[in-house]
Amino acid sequence: DAGVIQSPRHEVTEMGQEVTLRCKPISGHNSLFWYRQTMMRGLELLIYFNNNVPIDDSGMPEDRFSAKMPNASFSTLKIQPSEPRDSAVYFCASSWTGRNNEKLFFGSGTQLSVL
Amino acid sequence: SQQGEEDPQALSIQEGENATMNCSYKTSINNLQWYRQNSGRGLVHLILIRSNEREKHSGRLRVTLDTSKKSSSLLITASRAADTASYFCATVGLSGNTPLVFGKGTRLSVIA
């Protein structure tokens, strides 16, 4: 298995532009998570899906952020419009969540720089 | 919040020495997990310990859990330069169905 695949690996954009981050989870996993990592705030959970349904999006900073999971093998995180404070590394992770939450498999992340 | 707090924030040791990192959390848990992150990479799962377990081993890793003190420790024995990374603890709430919440990590530097 190729693991969790994220694209792009790096994204540099200007303030006000739309940014779309993509994630392909591990085949067979039923839960998908988007995290954001910064030096100041550490690793923050933005949103997670179970069986393609958003379960908790309370970590999404504001309405500029949206996430979708149209099918079990693809998810997107969109920021529109982007702002410099959105600069961070965004990670997607997936897992098989049965009765108990087991280990997460992380992608390599997308390094986002908003100028 | 279930957020774990790692201690120390940074640790520097010589190759061959043991490294101990600690994690404290606030409320009852289903399980606690440790992850490693190499610079510029995603997190990698190391070990999971359930609330009814007190100690677990995996290779050179030893994890302990004290639910009465709401704390855990990760011991890396005979450290190597390749162990240089950030180490995070993460907790799952009592129901077992809540997502992992991570601490800010301990940055370990192993000097050859």
Side-chain angles (χ1 to χ4, degrees):
Chain A
D1 199 320
V4 176
I5 299 172
Q6 289 186 248
S7 64
R9 188 80 172 88
H10 301 275
E11 177 80 33
V12 180
T13 190
E14 292 188 346
M15 184 173 64
Q17 296 297 307
E18 177 179 297
V19 175
T20 299
L21 311 180
R22 297 173 176 80
C23 175
K24 177 179 168 55
I26 291 174
S27 177
H29 282 184
N30 64 348
S31 292
L32 183 140
F33 305 79
W34 283 100
Y35 285 88
R36 177 172 69 176
Q37 186 177 38
T38 60
M39 288 292 291
M40 289 294 293
R41 302 170 75 96
L43 205 61
E44 303 173 277
L45 177 66
L46 300 178
I47 185 171
Y48 78 100
F49 296 83
N50 185 255
N51 294 322
N52 312 338
V53 176
I55 302 300
D56 184 356
D57 65 354
S58 60
M60 298 284 261
E62 48 200 88
D63 292 345
R64 297 184 298 107
F65 285 68
S66 63
K68 294 181 180 178
M69 191 164 187
N71 56 63
S73 59
F74 184 65
S75 177
T76 59
L77 178 67
K78 185 177 293 186
I79 308 172
Q80 166 63 18
S82 58
E83 296 182 3
R85 60 191 166 125
D86 301 330
S87 297
V89 182
Y90 290 80
F91 288 103
C92 175
S94 70
S95 71
W96 166 250
T97 305
R99 190 172 67 87
N100 294 306
N101 198 342
E102 299 296 328
K103 62 184 181 181
L104 294 187
F105 294 80
F106 281 78
S108 296
T110 295
Q111 173 79 59
L112 174 64
S113 298
V114 183
L115 307 177
Chain B
S1 169
Q2 297 282 344
Q3 184 177 34
E5 295 285 341
E6 291 91 344
D7 171 63
Q9 289 186 334
L11 179 62
S12 184
I13 59 173
Q14 297 288 328
E15 203 167 31
E17 295 181 337
N18 295 341
T20 299
M21 288 159 272
N22 303 297
C23 169
S24 59
Y25 56 92
K26 296 185 177 70
T27 59
S28 298
I29 60 171
N30 176 284
N31 67 73
L32 184 146
Q33 303 177 30
W34 286 91
Y35 287 76
R36 182 185 71 208
Q37 183 181 31
N38 290 89
S39 181
R41 312 295 288 269
L43 281 72
V44 175
H45 180 267
L46 294 176
I47 197 164
L48 180 155
I49 187 165
R50 300 196 186 278
S51 59
N52 61 352
E53 297 175 310
R54 290 297 166 257
E55 188 171 311
K56 209 161 182 181
H57 296 255
S58 176
R60 293 185 296 110
L61 304 181
R62 173 179 168 248
V63 169
T64 61
L65 179 65
D66 187 334
T67 53
S68 66
K69 295 181 179 178
K70 292 186 170 59
S71 67
S72 173
S73 67
L74 171 67
L75 169 68
I76 304 173
T77 59
S79 62
R80 306 166 182 169
D83 295 327
T84 295
S86 291
Y87 292 81
F88 296 84
C89 70
T91 54
V92 176
L94 201 55
S95 69
N97 291 322
T98 56
L100 284 167
V101 179
F102 289 83
K104 291 189 176 180
T106 292
R107 174 70 188 168
L108 173 66
S109 298
V110 181
I111 302 165

